[in-house]
Structure formats: C-alpha cells, structure tokens
Amino acid sequence: MDAYISALMGLAGIAIGSLTSFASTWMTHRSQVREKYREVEIAKREKLFSDFIAEATRLYGDALSHQKDDVSDLVLLYALVAQMRLISSRSVVDAAELAMARIVETYLTPNRSLSEMRDLAHSGAMNFLFDFGEACRAELASGRVGSVLRGGIQ
C-alpha cells in the first residue's frame, strides 16, 4: 500500500511540476505578445502624430502666404484627425482640432509679408503645434495603450 501512495505522490509531483512549467511558459508568452502589441500600437500612434505635424506645418506655411476659400487642401488633415479620434485621447484630438482651426483662420487672413512672418516667429505665434505636441507626448508617456490591451488581447 505504501508503494501505491509513493507512486501516486510521485505522479502528483510530476503533474504539479508540469502544470507549473506550462503556466509559466504560457504567462511568459502572453506577456511577450502583449508587449509586442503595445509596441506596434505606439509606433502606429507616433506615425499618425508625425503625419499630422508634417501636414499641419505644410498647410500653415501655405496659409501664411495664400488667402483662399477652397478647403480641399485641408482634407488630408481632417482625415488624420478622424484617425486620431479612433485611437487617441480626447486631449490629443482637442489639440489637433485647435491646430486645424488655427490653420483655417490663417487662410482667412491677408497674406503675410516676410517681415510679418519674422515678427510672428519671434513672438511665438507660429508655434501653433505646441499644445498638440505636449498632448501627444503625455499620451505616449502615460501608456494609454494599456487600456486598449485590456479590452483587446488578453
């Protein structure tokens, strides 16, 4: 009878060891998958933010020297903000919308001379993307992507 108990205890030990090894491997793999997903999401946001900055800067430069009523040039910028609405925090979207409004307002003002542009640059008025950049930096630093992970990959 003692031999059966010893054999059962040995089998139980092997089973517990195997389950522990399996659980450890599964948790490690799960952690790696989550981290990879997080890296991809952060890269996607960084690309979106960078594209917005490039397009907004281009349009703002154009707005300083061109007065127009046509909004077709703003379509890409609106599309980038729409993409941000899907994955970014409210503060990032608000800052992007504020930058867009500033660009539209600039298009509606008379063309600026080079000396007026220099004065704008010295006064800091041309730094219309400052709030957007700060909101993006805060979002990326906060790890907001983690909330997406809790609802997505487990």
Side-chain angles (χ1 to χ4, degrees):
M1 179 93 164
D2 286 336
Y4 289 121
I5 292 175
S6 294
L8 285 175
M9 294 303 269
L11 288 175
I14 291 171
I16 290 171
S18 297
L19 284 175
T20 303
S21 176
F22 171 76
S24 173
T25 302
W26 180 72
M27 292 297 286
T28 301
H29 179 68
R30 180 179 174 208
S31 172
Q32 290 171 345
V33 168
R34 291 179 104 193
E35 186 58 31
K36 182 66 176 169
Y37 180 78
R38 179 177 159 73
E39 289 172 6
V40 168
E41 284 298 310
I42 288 173
K44 184 174 21 172
R45 287 169 195 247
E46 287 174 345
K47 171 92 169 84
L48 179 60
F49 298 159
S50 177
D51 289 349
F52 178 83
I53 290 169
E55 184 65 10
T57 304
R58 184 187 72 77
L59 288 173
Y60 188 70
D62 185 58
L64 287 171
S65 60
H66 295 87
Q67 187 177 14
K68 62 168 88 174
D69 295 326
D70 183 22
V71 296
S72 63
D73 287 341
L74 297 171
V75 172
L76 178 57
L77 201 62
Y78 279 100
L80 292 170
V81 172
Q83 290 175 10
M84 282 183 226
R85 281 191 189 99
L86 296 174
I87 62 172
S88 297
S89 66
R90 187 74 221 156
S91 62
V92 170
V93 174
D94 288 345
E97 288 174 343
L98 187 64
M100 272 192 331
R102 180 83 181 272
I103 291 168
V104 170
E105 288 172 20
T106 305
Y107 267 121
L108 297 174
T109 61
N111 294 345
R112 305 282 170 85
S113 68
L114 287 176
S115 63
E116 288 174 323
M117 285 187 216
R118 183 189 65 222
D119 293 340
L120 284 173
H122 287 299
S123 70
M126 291 181 76
N127 197 5
F128 69 104
L129 289 171
F130 180 80
D131 292 336
F132 177 74
E134 291 299 310
C136 292
R137 182 188 338 247
E139 179 173 309
L140 292 172
S142 73
R144 184 179 175 277
V145 176
S147 63
V148 173
L149 290 176
R150 284 187 285 280
I153 293 177
Q154 294 293 322

